[in-house]
């Protein structure tokens, strides 16, 4: 069962999350509450963070997160963000802290961006410029049918 979503940033990037209020979560369902209540965000490591979710509320939908990111002055050649759907390791009872952990049962790469590239949601508005702090949008799609069917088995 999915219990969390782990976001792993490329080498050199770090999130600038200092409170849960720094991470905005959205869904196309206006009544959809997909993040857990209470302590729903683990962000102690600058290169990754984990969002606890409500498994029963994950349906076929679009899920979005917006969070602040510190961008290195030079974007690394391997600019790939990893997003993992995680459960709890049945052997150890541990949650995932890396996309290579046993509790991370589905991980997919998301291509990064270049400095100055405009995110599609901001076309016609502003561009991120140079190194520094920017807000990055991450759109997560729960794979229709496949994931939900697998999760129920």
């Amino acid at each position: 069962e999915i219990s969390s979503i782990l976001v792993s940033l490329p080498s050199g990037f770090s999130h600038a999350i200092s409170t849960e209020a720094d991470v905005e979560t959205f869904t196309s369902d206006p009544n959809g509450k997909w993040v857990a209540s209470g302590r729903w965000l683990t962000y102690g490591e600058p290169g990754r963070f984990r969002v606890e979710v409500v498994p029963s509320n994950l349906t076929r939908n679009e899920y979005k997160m917006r969070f602040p990111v510190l961008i290195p002055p030079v974007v690394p050649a391997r600019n790939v963000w990893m997003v993992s759907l995680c459960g709890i390791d049945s052997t150890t009872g541990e949650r995932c802290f890396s996309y290579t952990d046993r509790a991370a049962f589905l991980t997919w790469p998301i291509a990064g961006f270049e400095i100055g590239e405009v995110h599609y949601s901001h076309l016609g508005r502003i561009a991120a410029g140079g190194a520094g702090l920017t807000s990055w949008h991450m759109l997560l799609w729960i794979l229709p049918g496949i994931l939900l069917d697998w999760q129920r088995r």
Side-chain angles (χ1 to χ4, degrees):
E1 176 172 81
I2 298 170
S3 64
S4 60
I5 297 171
L6 176 71
V7 178
S8 303
L9 286 64
S11 177
F13 286 75
S14 58
H15 67 72
I17 300 168
S18 58
T19 70
E20 290 179 347
D22 291 334
V23 178
E24 297 176 74
T25 60
F26 311 91
T27 179
S28 56
D29 177 0
N31 300 316
K33 170 100 171 101
W34 61 283
V35 297
S37 299
R39 187 181 165 146
W40 59 272
L41 184 64
T42 303
Y43 56 90
E45 296 284 328
R48 63 181 162 245
F49 65 92
R50 190 179 63 230
V51 175
E52 304 299 324
V53 299
V54 180
S56 60
N57 289 358
L58 293 177
T59 60
R60 252 182 233 191
N61 210 331
E62 289 183 3
Y63 299 89
K64 300 178 185 182
M65 287 188 278
R66 184 173 21 225
F67 51 92
V69 175
L70 291 170
I71 301 171
V74 177
V75 175
R78 187 176 186 275
N79 182 7
V80 179
W81 301 64
M82 304 301 272
V83 177
S84 304
L85 298 181
C86 301
I88 297 175
D89 188 313
S90 60
T91 308
T92 65
E94 293 186 9
R95 299 182 177 282
C96 71
F97 291 96
S98 169
Y99 62 86
T100 60
D101 288 350
R102 287 174 39 137
F105 49 79
L106 178 63
T107 298
W108 67 96
I110 297 177
F113 53 87
E114 295 297 325
I115 291 178
E117 184 177 342
V118 179
H119 186 273
Y120 72 89
S121 70
H122 287 89
L123 289 175
R125 289 192 259 169
I126 60 169
L133 180 68
T134 187
S135 176
W136 196 64
H137 300 254
M138 179 171 289
L139 177 62
L140 304 173
W141 289 277
I142 297 299
L143 304 174
I146 298 170
L147 185 61
L148 294 174
D149 290 343
W150 180 83
Q151 180 179 340
R152 291 186 180 114
R153 291 185 185 150

